[in-house]
Structures are given as C-alpha cells and as structure tokens.
Amino acid sequence: MGDEEQPLWRRAATHTLHTSLMLKVMLEDRLHEAEGLLLADHEALLNIGHAEEPLRMSVIAQRLVISRGGTTKVIDRLEAMGYVLRRPDADDRRATVVELTRAGREALKRARPIIDAGLEEIWSAYLTDEESVVLIEVMDRVLEANQACC
Amino acid sequence: MGDEEQPLWRRAATHTLHTSLMLKVMLEDRLHEAEGLLLADHEALLNIGHAEEPLRMSVIAQRLVISRGGTTKVIDRLEAMGYVLRRPDADDRRATVVELTRAGREALKRARPIIDAGLEEIWSAYLTDEESVVLIEVMDRVLEANQACC
DNA sequence: AGTATATAGTCATCTAGTAAACTAATCTGG
DNA sequence: CCAGATTAGTTTACTAGATGACTATATACT
C-alpha cells in the first residue's frame, strides 16, 4: 500500500508508535484489573520508589510526561490508596515532595510480576537479544535528543 | 538504578514504550496546531484514503485500536470538518462505510509534510538505516503476534 | 418459517488527562 | 529591601476516549 515509497526511518517511526500504543493498552488492562492501578500510577510509584530522596511533583510530571495538573490527580489517587505521602519540601516552601509508604512499596512489589508477565508475553518471545540492544540504544538516543531540545 | 538487573527485553520494552509515548505527544501537538487534527483523526483519514473501498466503522476501530464508541466520535469529528462521508453499506444494512471527500484528500495532503517533518526531526537524525530495519521487523513481528492472539 | 443469538453502529455516562486561571512562595534588579 | 517576574502546586472547565445499554439488522438452529 505505498509502504515501499516511504523512507525507512518513517516506517520505523510509525510502526514503533503504533505497536507501542497497542502494547500500552494491553499492559494497562492487565495492571488495572489486577491492582487497580493505571500505568501512570505505576510509573509514578516506580519513580518515587527508585529515587533516593522523595520526589517533587514537578519532577514526577517530567518523568511521566504529563501535565502538572495531571500529576496532582495521579498523586491524589495514590495518596487515597495509601501508597504515597505528600510532605512540604523543607528547602522550598512552594514545593511538595512525595514518598512511598510501606503499602506503596508492597503494591509496587505486587505489580512487578504483572508488568513482567505482560511484557514478557507480549514482547520477549519475539525479540532476540541483539534486537533488544538496538532498541534500547535507539530509544535512549531519541529520548535524550528530544528531551534536550524542549 | 537497578537498570542492570533487568533482562534486556524488559528494558527494550519499557524504553520503547516510554519514548513512543513522548513521540506521540510531540507529533500530536504539531498536527493539532497546524491542521486541527488529532493523531487518531489523521490515522483514520490515512486508513480510509489508503483503502480501495470505503471502510466500515468496525474496521476503522480495529485499525486505530480504539473502541467502537470512540470511532463514532472520530468519524463525527471528521464528518463535521467535511473530510469524510458516511454511507450505508449496500451489502449489510447494519453497517456504515466511510469514504474521503475531496476536502479530506486535501487535508491528508496538507497533513503529510507536517507528520513527515515531525517524524524526521524527532527520529531520523538519530537512526541508521540498519536500525530502522530492525525496528520495522521487530514491531511488525510483535504487532502481528499480539493481534493474532486477541 | 420463526425464534435465538450475534453483530454494526450510536448514545449516554464516566474517567484520565489537558489547559488556563489562581494562590503562595521564591528569586532578581534597582 | 521591596516591586516585578518566576516557579510550584492546585483547581476548574473541558476533551478524547472507554464502557455499557440500546436499536436495527443479519445469521443459525430446529
């Protein structure tokens, strides 16, 4: 269907986009059914859990690539579930920092195998290690290039 | 950050997902600002334009990976803009088929360079041809495998 | 033929996330 | 040191899309 006329990079980009969106839907379904979490919620938990110090709202917004208002809602949700805790930042009284509760850490532990199983089922059977390496390199490069510019 | 402990395919999957979502946001912004179209609208136009015959609503839903209700809204939008036309399917009176109008074809032509410029700027500078080939292959394989199953 | 079941599309309702206005705190330059 | 400009987060109003109920048509079974 005219696929042949397109430059390689264009097909690579559109195919990647399309497949990723499908992956997202499938993963989110599993996670939501099992733990009542959205992918954004999980991503937030992961980021907060990963960090050495409690994270600011604005940092979470950047990491999840969502708006500040959206971040407020994500953290509201997680706080209502008892998974995170908001505290005023001591250094900057405008800022709020967020940290995991014990329940949050446990939720994260429960979510891990669900995400893993989903990713494995959807991806790993269809990927060689060499291809994985290429994907990781490409995605990192593209991400970094575009984060720098905006 | 524990990134090293993860299997390759897991990192490949998460990086791809994350980068793709960012790409989507950036592309959609450009397209919406320039043409007042959402990425879903454009995808619908593309699919309809691509096909030899007018497409059914249900087929469009499948292609865009959105719900039937969502498809109704997409086509409502495009019809209001004068870009598509709904007609009852002669063969199956439950079904509706959608075709492009002249204005729709023109909108598609105008959108093309915007999408291209976006994709090129975001991607092409950071991708070798070899990498593009890998991406296309992998994405096709993953997509096909998961479309078959559900 | 005639009932049961499945399918196509729409509509009404709901939810996640955006965008812009708002509040409060911090930084900057005179 | 204080007036203006920035920045952090929240709130409100809105939008895209999902979900499920509903209508109309088509198919399958007996």
Side-chain angles (χ1 to χ4, degrees):
Chain A
M1 317 231 154
D3 235 31
E4 332 317 342
E5 314 152 16
Q6 299 182 22
L8 280 173
W9 57 263
R10 192 183 200 279
R11 291 173 58 198
T14 52
H15 286 223
T16 302
L17 189 52
H18 189 250
T19 302
S20 296
L21 292 184
M22 193 205 56
L23 166 64
K24 174 182 187 284
V25 169
M26 297 179 71
L27 256 191
E28 183 136 53
D29 278 355
R30 287 156 174 264
L31 186 60
H32 193 256
E33 187 167 349
E35 285 292 323
L37 288 174
L38 301 175
L39 224 45
D41 299 338
H42 179 255
E43 199 101 335
L45 287 178
L46 259 187
N47 274 283
I48 299 166
H50 245 184
E52 289 88 12
E53 324 166 339
L55 285 189
R56 290 189 174 198
M57 298 293 288
S58 52
V59 174
I60 298 171
Q62 282 171 4
R63 301 275 185 89
L64 304 203
V65 198
I66 60 176
S67 66
R68 282 166 302 151
T71 307
T72 296
K73 286 200 168 183
V74 169
I75 299 303
D76 282 351
R77 227 155 39 220
L78 292 174
E79 201 171 35
M81 294 192 268
Y83 291 167
V84 301
L85 210 60
R86 265 187 251 237
R87 284 193 303 110
D89 186 338
D91 298 341
D92 184 342
R93 289 189 305 174
R94 291 170 302 182
T96 304
V97 293
V98 185
E99 56 189 16
L100 284 191
T101 61
R102 165 162 286 288
R105 266 183 297 275
E106 282 161 13
L108 205 42
K109 258 184 232 152
R110 288 195 305 275
R112 178 69 188 247
I114 295 163
I115 298 280
D116 277 8
L119 289 177
E120 180 156 23
E121 194 176 312
I122 297 169
W123 279 90
S124 80
Y126 316 107
L127 265 185
T128 66
D129 279 358
E130 292 75 32
E131 288 169 337
S132 293
V133 170
V134 170
L135 256 75
I136 294 168
E137 283 175 1
V138 168
M139 295 304 155
D140 277 354
R141 210 182 306 144
V142 171
L143 187 66
E144 194 185 357
N146 288 287
Q147 269 176 341
C149 81
C150 330
Chain B
M1 318 233 154
D3 235 29
E4 331 318 341
E5 313 152 14
Q6 300 184 23
L8 279 173
W9 57 264
R10 192 184 201 279
R11 291 173 58 198
T14 52
H15 285 223
T16 301
L17 188 52
H18 190 250
T19 301
S20 297
L21 292 185
M22 193 207 56
L23 166 65
K24 175 182 186 287
V25 169
M26 295 178 72
L27 256 191
E28 184 135 54
D29 278 355
R30 288 158 173 263
L31 186 60
H32 193 257
E33 187 168 349
E35 284 293 322
L37 289 173
L38 299 175
L39 224 44
D41 300 337
H42 179 255
E43 200 102 335
L45 288 178
L46 258 186
N47 273 284
I48 299 166
H50 246 182
E52 289 86 14
E53 323 166 338
L55 286 188
R56 289 190 174 198
M57 297 295 288
S58 53
V59 174
I60 298 171
Q62 281 170 6
R63 302 273 185 90
L64 304 204
V65 200
I66 61 177
S67 66
R68 280 168 304 150
T71 306
T72 296
K73 286 201 166 185
V74 169
I75 300 303
D76 282 351
R77 225 155 40 218
L78 292 174
E79 202 171 33
M81 292 193 268
Y83 292 168
V84 301
L85 211 58
R86 264 186 253 237
R87 283 193 304 110
D89 186 339
D91 299 340
D92 184 342
R93 287 191 306 175
R94 291 170 302 181
T96 303
V97 294
V98 185
E99 54 189 16
L100 284 192
T101 61
R102 165 162 286 288
R105 267 184 296 277
E106 280 161 12
L108 206 42
K109 258 183 232 152
R110 287 195 305 274
R112 177 70 188 248
I114 295 162
I115 298 281
D116 277 9
L119 289 177
E120 180 156 22
E121 193 177 312
I122 296 169
W123 279 90
S124 79
Y126 316 107
L127 266 183
T128 66
D129 280 358
E130 292 75 32
E131 288 168 338
S132 292
V133 170
V134 171
L135 255 74
I136 294 168
E137 282 175 2
V138 167
M139 295 305 154
D140 278 354
R141 211 183 303 145
V142 170
L143 187 66
E144 194 185 359
N146 288 287
Q147 269 176 340
C149 81
C150 327

